[in-house]
Amino acid sequence: MKYKFRWATIAAIVIAALVMMLPLKEKIKLGLDLQGGMHVVLGVETEKAVDGKLDTIVTQLKKELKNANIKYSFAQKTKDGKIKLGFQEASLTDKARDLITKNYPYLVDSSLSNDPEILVFSLDQKEYDKIKDYAVEQAVQVIRNRIDQFGVSEPVIQRQGKNEILVQLPGITDPDRAIDLIGKTAQLRFHIVDENVSTQDAINGNLPFDDILLYSKEYDKVTGKLKQEIPYVLKREAVLTGEYLTDAEVRISSQFNEPYVLIKFDSAGSKLFDQITAENVNKRLAIVLDNNVYSAPVIRERISGGEAQISGNFTMDEAKDLAIVLRAGSLPAPVVVLENRTVGPSLGFDSITKGVKAAVIGFLAVMIFILFYYRVSGVIANIALLLNFILILGVMSAFGATLTLPGIAGIILTIGMSVDANVLIFERIREELRIGRTPLNAIEAGYEKAMSTILDANITTLIAALVLFQFGTGPIKGFAVTLSIGILSSMFTAIFVTRTIFMTFFGGKDTKNLSI
Amino acid sequence: MVELIKSNVNIDFLGKSKLFFVISGALVILSLFLIFTKGFNYGIDFAGGTVVQVKFESTPDLDKLRNSFKDLNLGEMVIQTFGEPNDILIRVEKTSAGLKETADAIQTKIKEVSGNQKIVIERVEQVGPQVGGQLKKKAIMAIIYSLIGILIYVSLRFEFIFSVGAVLALFHDVIITLGIFSLLGKEITLPIVAALLTIVGYSLNDTIVVFDRIREKIKNSAGKLTIYEVINKSINETLSRTILTSGTTLLAVLALYLFGGEVINGFSFALLIGIVVGTYSSIGVASALVYKIKK
């Protein structure tokens, strides 16, 4: 047989494509819009991370000044993100300045000269940027940990731009719960309740500087409405935070048959907890998560052993999720939902069914038309069309590309457009036949002359597709991918494959009639 | 041989260019007028906001639904059916409430009004206001970038004049398609931008085929034909190919429009218009523009 090499190439490519794509169900990855799932973009409030860092520095500074025996009258974080320290006399100010510049190289002295008893420090730009950057990185880590424990197959959690995080969870059935789980800051703190200040006074605005007012909020389990709010006045400084946590698990209380979360501290945390409970017997210890008071039990006796429990009228799922977020650690800064696209599994299934139906009908309509118009040559064009379809699916499977609903549209559009190359060639062949060439000559001239047109036409479409890929997200990217693959593979099938068929069957010099 | 267009067809397209220009000019001006006065019905991708699609067991009373949603105080709200009578789409413009709170409020309300009916939340889409602005900027940049890319490619492969004609024709196609969207109040979403870019690619495809023929004819005729004759002959000779390819593409996209479902409806609608307008501009406008500039 002639053209052995060409046929072997075609066979090899088609077999490779088939191997790649079969079994179809396993090999073609479906986009979130087709299989259902959620796509969430979270914005990290990095300013709050800087804020938190300033708080920590202030607490640390106070300790160090105390240790160095430098008496200060106040040390606080200002509203514009600086640290302000006041001293009785100027000589102490110098001592403090020396200590701070030595131990905190990233703090810039920005004190005003006309006020010698007051020191003001601010973070340098590098440290400021570092804290923000680290906050996003850490948030990605924490969310990844939470999702891992929640159990979602093939999740995508990645940083996007400066302070955004993209989370994609395929096939999720309870998106609300997932968002709650991802979005919880989960900053756990223990505060001593300040019994000396009445809550009524605090609500009226008479709150001492070192106290805070927080609420315990109870929601109705059925309607989700706020049932009641109990105010608490707490000491501002937390006696213990979630960073000492090593584990959290769900237990069922034997007394009320309700789930609660048991938390365990590391050795440092255990020591602290032991000390705090010893010092505060008969006082109330509030357990605060994300500024919401969960419970405030009275400390009956010193608690050693490093375990505490958080109870709060939980459902089983709530308790489980709380345990997950506590185990996975807290977000260094709160996150807000910037974008949320969730598609339920039934709509996804519906979309596939309709998309496939549209594809099949479009495919058949085009094939029938081409067959009617070009007869035997139409059969050849249709073979190319079928191969094109197989190649698109094969390449998509090989590269692990994701099929989306617009992606299906891309395939349908390529089907319509991919006959273009053949139409260009066939019309050329017709022209050549009209001016009296033999079929063999007409075929050769047709392919040759149509070539540059096909290239120019396809490259321009490819440019548009590449731009789409560059700027598009999710489903749009899926469209650009299938369109690009479709253009390339249609060039192969419409030029190389059909020419090989023509040459094999009409390549003899005795060909008299060409059905085109 | 089956022929849609007779092979000896010889229409004086350039002679009719005045008519085409009047039609195109009027359509473009009308579209621009609509775009600047009536504007677009931006979907939440660009405007920001929340869309919730719910499937009810049986057809709900839309007015009742609207009334019960009023006390949520979420601002402007559209409640309509989506494809089927028991598929309800609730759209809320951006509100001062956070995205999560808005979604929660809507879903709680739906559960409340549905009573004992089984409901399925089919889709929730939310875009925050700042994201919407970013997406809009990106979409406009994408269209500009692709036009620049095409301008460069066509300038390299043909004369510069051709690329000007091609890009002007593309603007023509995009503006008219957008004008129709404005006129019908159809939503502009991200997929619509994708469709517009595809139209750009597609319409150019058609135009390039004609240009290619013109270039070839200029080379082969060696001055025997005037530019006027070359362009006319080229359009005529490629006419059957242009109509055929547009026809098959239109068939495929029509299948998508009719059977692809509501979610992809706007997208396929944009493609349908774009293919028709793009085919027309490739035949009637692009080459005529080149001719006018060359002259």
Side-chain angles (χ1 to χ4, degrees):
Chain A
M1 196 160 98
K2 272 166 100 182
Y3 312 113
K4 251 190 214 148
F5 179 71
R6 282 178 157 249
W7 281 108
T9 311
I10 294 168
I13 289 176
V14 171
I15 288 169
L18 283 172
V19 169
M20 284 295 171
M21 66 184 261
L22 293 174
L24 210 51
K25 264 214 171 105
E26 286 166 32
K27 296 293 182 59
I28 295 283
K29 263 203 296 187
L30 295 179
L32 293 180
D33 58 338
L34 291 182
Q35 64 164 312
M38 64 189 301
H39 162 114
V40 182
V41 178
L42 299 164
V44 184
E45 299 189 316
T46 48
E47 289 295 340
K48 296 257 170 72
V50 176
D51 233 42
K53 176 76 179 183
L54 286 171
D55 279 333
T56 327
I57 294 175
V58 169
T59 315
Q60 252 175 340
L61 265 178
K62 281 181 179 172
K63 248 186 221 158
E64 284 185 40
L65 289 171
K66 216 183 245 169
N67 289 344
N69 239 334
I70 305 172
K71 269 213 176 113
Y72 57 89
S73 41
F74 66 84
Q76 66 194 60
K77 176 184 79 188
T78 65
K79 281 207 174 96
D80 56 347
K82 288 176 179 162
I83 293 170
K84 207 168 169 186
L85 302 142
F87 299 89
Q88 302 284 343
E89 42 188 292
S91 66
L92 288 175
T93 318
D94 292 334
K95 271 193 199 165
R97 182 182 283 125
D98 286 346
L99 180 107
I100 294 169
T101 41
K102 204 181 91 201
N103 292 356
Y104 301 86
Y106 48 83
L107 285 182
V108 182
D109 188 351
S110 45
S111 313
L112 294 168
S113 52
N114 58 1
D115 216 345
E117 281 93 37
I118 290 180
L119 278 182
V120 180
F121 283 90
S122 51
L123 287 168
D124 72 5
Q125 192 60 40
K126 223 175 113 198
E127 181 69 11
Y128 184 78
D129 292 340
K130 207 176 94 188
I131 295 169
K132 286 185 152 194
D133 187 66
Y134 184 63
V136 182
E137 276 308 312
Q138 208 186 336
V140 170
Q141 268 320 316
V142 169
I143 291 173
R144 188 168 289 142
N145 283 342
R146 290 182 188 174
I147 299 294
D148 280 350
Q149 301 192 28
F150 190 50
V152 175
S153 59
E154 295 186 50
V156 174
I157 299 134
Q158 63 194 32
R159 188 174 181 168
Q160 189 177 278
K162 229 175 169 174
N163 43 17
E164 284 169 17
I165 300 172
L166 169 73
V167 180
Q168 286 185 330
L169 308 175
I172 202 100
T173 47
D174 191 350
D176 289 342
R177 195 178 152 195
I179 279 213
D180 277 339
L181 187 79
I182 302 165
K184 236 192 208 108
T185 316
Q187 273 169 354
L188 181 70
R189 297 158 150 280
F190 293 83
H191 293 261
I192 300 291
V193 176
D194 189 347
E195 311 274 8
N196 299 327
V197 181
S198 91
T199 52
Q200 199 49 53
D201 276 1
I203 291 168
N204 292 339
N206 291 324
L207 191 66
F209 174 74
D210 58 349
D211 279 350
I212 43 169
L213 176 68
L214 289 179
Y215 292 88
S216 162
K217 290 177 185 158
E218 218 175 282
Y219 295 93
D220 189 288
K221 272 179 198 155
V222 186
T223 61
K225 277 192 178 142
L226 191 64
K227 239 171 42 182
Q228 58 170 344
E229 274 186 328
I230 307 164
Y232 287 92
V233 177
L234 310 175
K235 287 281 176 201
R236 182 177 288 273
E237 209 154 314
V239 286
L240 189 63
T241 64
E243 53 184 315
Y244 297 103
L245 220 83
T246 53
D247 199 13
E249 54 189 64
V250 179
R251 293 277 173 86
I252 308 279
S253 83
S254 51
Q255 212 178 338
F256 306 106
N257 200 25
E258 260 188 2
Y260 66 90
V261 177
L262 181 77
I263 52 179
K264 291 177 183 163
F265 297 109
D266 59 12
S267 58
S270 304
K271 233 180 262 167
L272 263 171
F273 197 58
D274 179 283
Q275 193 188 331
I276 292 156
T277 49
E279 284 168 10
N280 294 288
V281 172
N282 288 330
K283 285 189 190 158
R284 298 178 79 186
L285 182 68
I287 302 170
V288 180
L289 187 73
D290 294 343
N291 290 332
N292 190 4
V293 179
Y294 270 72
S295 54
V298 177
I299 303 169
R300 299 266 174 235
E301 57 189 349
R302 167 183 185 168
I303 306 170
S304 41
E307 284 187 353
Q309 36 179 281
I310 305 175
S311 52
N313 198 16
F314 299 125
T315 65
M316 197 60 199
D317 276 350
E318 279 168 355
K320 266 187 201 157
D321 292 350
L322 181 60
I324 290 179
V325 295
L326 289 175
R327 268 203 304 268
S330 62
L331 293 180
V335 292
V336 283
V337 176
L338 298 180
E339 197 183 331
N340 167 19
R341 295 171 197 268
T342 304
V343 172
S346 65
L347 182 65
F349 182 75
D350 195 44
S351 293
I352 298 187
T353 321
K354 284 186 174 144
V356 169
K357 188 178 163 195
V360 170
I361 292 173
F363 211 99
L364 286 178
V366 172
M367 284 179 82
I368 290 168
F369 180 76
I370 291 296
L371 197 63
F372 164 77
Y373 201 80
Y374 290 120
R375 305 293 151 105
V376 174
S377 301
V379 176
I380 297 172
N382 281 339
I383 291 172
L385 208 57
L386 278 174
L387 287 185
N388 187 20
F389 186 64
I390 293 172
L391 283 189
I392 292 176
L393 293 183
V395 173
M396 285 187 69
S397 321
F399 287 115
T402 308
L403 185 66
T404 61
L405 187 56
I408 294 181
I411 294 180
I412 296 178
L413 189 67
T414 342
I415 291 167
M417 287 168 70
S418 72
V419 288
D420 182 48
N422 277 131
V423 170
L424 278 168
I425 296 164
F426 290 178
E427 290 299 303
R428 276 286 186 169
I429 296 178
R430 280 183 170 194
E431 279 177 49
E432 301 297 324
L433 285 175
R434 258 183 233 119
I435 57 171
R437 294 204 186 210
T438 63
L440 182 62
N441 280 339
I443 291 171
E444 271 169 7
Y447 273 94
E448 228 144 84
K449 287 187 172 168
M451 204 55 141
S452 81
T453 318
I454 294 172
L455 277 180
D456 280 334
N458 282 312
I459 287 172
T460 45
T461 311
L462 210 52
I463 292 175
L466 289 180
V467 173
L468 263 183
F469 183 79
Q470 192 55 40
F471 107 102
T473 55
I476 306 287
K477 236 181 189 137
F479 174 69
V481 169
T482 42
L483 192 62
S484 310
I485 296 173
I487 291 166
L488 294 176
S489 80
S490 81
M491 279 166 71
F492 169 74
T493 55
I495 299 169
F496 190 79
V497 175
T498 59
R499 191 168 192 178
T500 307
I501 299 175
F502 269 117
M503 290 197 304
T504 307
F505 294 101
F506 301 99
K509 288 200 174 88
D510 50 349
T511 304
K512 290 208 177 65
N513 288 312
L514 182 59
S515 168
I516 193 163
Chain B
M1 224 186 280
V2 189
E3 282 182 339
L4 220 59
I5 307 287
K6 286 266 169 290
S7 55
N8 54 2
V9 65
N10 192 11
I11 305 168
D12 182 11
F13 283 106
L14 280 188
K16 294 185 182 68
S17 63
K18 216 176 237 168
L19 176 70
F20 290 137
F21 282 155
V22 168
I23 294 174
S24 289
L27 285 177
V28 168
I29 290 169
L30 199 67
S31 296
L32 286 175
F33 178 75
L34 277 169
I35 291 167
F36 284 113
T37 53
K38 188 164 183 272
F40 295 122
N41 174 13
Y42 283 115
I44 60 156
D45 289 341
F46 300 119
T50 301
V51 164
V52 178
Q53 189 186 332
V54 197
K55 199 182 216 39
F56 282 82
E57 226 170 355
S58 59
T59 313
D61 184 339
L62 279 184
D63 285 327
K64 241 188 193 160
L65 265 183
R66 279 189 196 108
N67 276 328
S68 57
F69 270 100
K70 265 192 186 133
D71 58 319
L72 274 186
N73 285 326
L74 283 174
E76 219 170 300
M77 189 174 230
V78 178
I79 298 178
Q80 65 192 51
T81 55
F82 190 69
E84 277 155 55
N86 58 335
D87 265 338
I88 303 298
L89 196 78
I90 300 164
R91 183 181 156 180
V92 182
E93 309 277 303
K94 56 184 168 204
T95 55
S96 50
L99 290 187
K100 189 181 170 314
E101 291 71 28
T102 310
D104 285 349
I106 294 174
Q107 291 184 38
T108 313
K109 193 75 186 175
I110 293 168
K111 277 175 201 149
E112 208 179 289
V113 297
S114 64
N116 297 326
Q117 249 194 89
K118 228 186 103 201
I119 47 150
V120 182
I121 309 274
E122 298 253 48
R123 175 164 66 114
V124 177
E125 286 195 46
Q126 300 189 291
V127 179
Q130 62 273 60
V131 177
Q134 276 171 26
L135 288 177
K136 205 192 255 174
K137 213 186 280 164
K138 267 183 155 181
I140 293 169
M141 290 321 283
I143 293 184
I144 291 174
Y145 282 140
S146 72
L147 286 177
I148 291 174
I150 287 161
L151 198 71
I152 293 171
Y153 181 78
V154 178
S155 307
L156 288 177
R157 292 283 296 161
F158 300 87
E159 285 173 64
F160 181 67
I161 288 172
F162 281 86
S163 71
V164 173
V167 169
L168 282 179
L170 293 183
F171 270 117
H172 163 273
D173 301 342
V174 171
I175 289 170
I176 292 178
T177 309
L178 284 174
I180 293 175
F181 264 72
S182 172
L183 179 74
L184 299 179
K186 286 216 164 226
E187 255 189 14
I188 305 279
T189 57
L190 271 182
I192 301 300
V193 176
L196 286 176
L197 277 170
T198 314
I199 291 166
V200 166
Y202 180 83
S203 163
L204 189 70
N205 208 332
D206 261 7
T207 308
I208 292 287
V209 172
V210 181
F211 284 2
D212 233 49
R213 194 53 83 100
I214 295 174
R215 185 175 54 182
E216 183 188 317
K217 277 228 153 6
I218 291 175
K219 225 189 312 178
N220 293 345
S221 72
K224 267 178 267 168
L225 294 171
T226 63
I227 284 290
Y228 188 91
E229 287 169 320
V230 165
I231 293 181
N232 248 339
K233 247 182 141 39
S234 299
I235 301 175
N236 275 299
E237 282 176 14
T238 51
L239 193 60
S240 73
R241 173 268 157 196
T242 306
I243 302 290
L244 267 176
T245 301
S246 299
T248 56
T249 313
L250 213 55
L251 266 181
V253 175
L254 199 65
L256 193 64
Y257 180 70
L258 294 176
F259 307 106
E262 200 68 28
V263 181
I264 198 112
N265 206 264
F267 178 79
S268 36
F269 180 74
L271 285 181
L272 272 183
I273 298 177
I275 289 167
V276 174
V277 178
T279 307
Y280 155 75
S281 77
S282 306
I283 297 171
V285 181
S287 312
L289 276 173
V290 173
Y291 177 71
K292 286 274 187 260
I293 301 169
K294 231 181 155 82
K295 212 173 60 170

